Amino acid sequence: MKTVHPHSKFFIIGNANEQNSIAHLINEDDIVVRFNNPNPNCTLMADWVFIANGYTQIRHLTIEHQFFKPNAQIFFRYNKNDIWYSRYQKIPLHKRIKYLWRFPKWIKRSHLDQYQINYLPTAIYTHCAYMLTHKLPSTGILAIDYVLQYFPKNKIIIHNFTNEGWCEHQWDGEKRLLTHWINEERIERI
């Protein structure tokens, strides 16, 4: 597990296609954050990987480890209670029961059990949903907010974010939020 130092920078890499490499900007103590199954167009190796692990995702998302460092940390967006109590998505009871059985098997089948596993705090999810006035923030926004909340003194740089993707996210709102954070100089875009 990589230690976050006061001088560590966070490089949060979106899943858009790589336009220009930033590998030369990353030092040994910096933290590279990637998402789900990272886009192979960008070859930066992840220290932290934030993964959407909802009911639907664990049935369809395959995880490749080619961009995970051996000591990577995994951050799941949902814990079992989030699914069981349908905190963010309305899921029928029979599917919630299946999830409790399927999720540990998916972790093992995806070989994610070899990494340190963390879960996003509920406060991060609710904070993002409140700021966006939308119940399904993207994994990228959740990761940025997590770093902003827990490491406010470290420099945060985002790269390869186009605010496009899955139709259930509110991309225009997320773009406005990123612009707000950039204007406040809380994050930087490269």
Side-chain angles (χ1 to χ4, degrees):
M1 174 173 57
K2 195 168 187 180
T3 303
V4 178
H5 300 283
H7 62 275
S8 297
K9 294 183 290 296
F10 285 88
F11 287 86
I12 304 178
I13 312 302
N15 272 338
N17 285 334
E18 179 85 348
Q19 299 301 313
N20 59 319
S21 175
I22 62 167
H24 63 285
L25 301 174
I26 300 170
N27 297 316
E28 185 179 337
D29 288 339
D30 295 336
I31 307 293
V32 174
V33 178
R34 308 250 357 226
F35 306 100
N36 299 319
N37 198 21
N39 182 345
N41 191 262
C42 174
T43 59
L44 292 173
M45 298 295 286
D47 298 295
W48 292 5
V49 183
F50 284 72
I51 298 177
N53 62 313
Y55 177 80
T56 303
Q57 288 94 346
I58 68 165
R59 294 182 65 223
H60 302 288
L61 183 63
T62 55
I63 304 293
E64 302 291 332
H65 299 256
Q66 65 185 359
F67 299 113
F68 291 26
K69 288 184 181 173
N71 63 342
Q73 289 188 61
I74 304 298
F75 291 80
F76 286 124
R77 82 186 265 149
Y78 304 115
N79 64 48
K80 287 181 185 178
N81 283 335
D82 293 335
I83 300 296
W84 181 248
Y85 293 113
S86 291
R87 287 194 178 125
Y88 309 118
Q89 294 176 297
K90 296 299 176 208
I91 303 169
L93 178 61
H94 72 283
K95 290 184 176 183
R96 287 182 273 153
I97 292 169
K98 281 182 187 176
Y99 182 88
L100 295 179
W101 176 75
R102 282 186 178 151
F103 182 53
K105 290 180 178 292
W106 179 76
I107 289 173
K108 194 174 250 346
R109 186 176 66 249
S110 299
H111 305 289
L112 296 172
D113 53 347
Q114 66 183 303
Y115 305 107
Q116 178 182 332
I117 293 178
N118 307 286
Y119 294 88
L120 273 177
T122 302
I124 296 295
Y125 200 103
T126 55
H127 183 246
C128 287
Y130 172 77
M131 288 186 304
L132 294 169
T133 63
H134 187 69
K135 65 180 180 172
L136 287 175
S138 71
T139 307
I141 282 291
L142 291 169
I144 294 167
D145 195 48
Y146 177 84
V147 175
L148 281 169
Q149 299 290 331
Y150 286 87
F151 302 95
K153 295 185 181 196
N154 292 76
K155 186 172 188 172
I156 302 167
I157 298 155
I158 64 171
H159 181 64
N160 290 348
F161 277 81
T162 58
N163 301 106
E164 299 172 322
W166 189 49
C167 64
E168 295 294 321
H169 295 314
Q170 187 194 45
W171 296 114
D172 289 340
E174 293 200 7
K175 185 176 184 176
R176 284 190 299 275
L177 182 57
L178 288 176
T179 300
H180 173 72
W181 284 336
I182 290 167
N183 290 340
E184 285 188 336
E185 298 182 355
R186 297 181 71 195
I187 65 174
E188 180 181 327
R189 181 191 302 263
I190 293 181

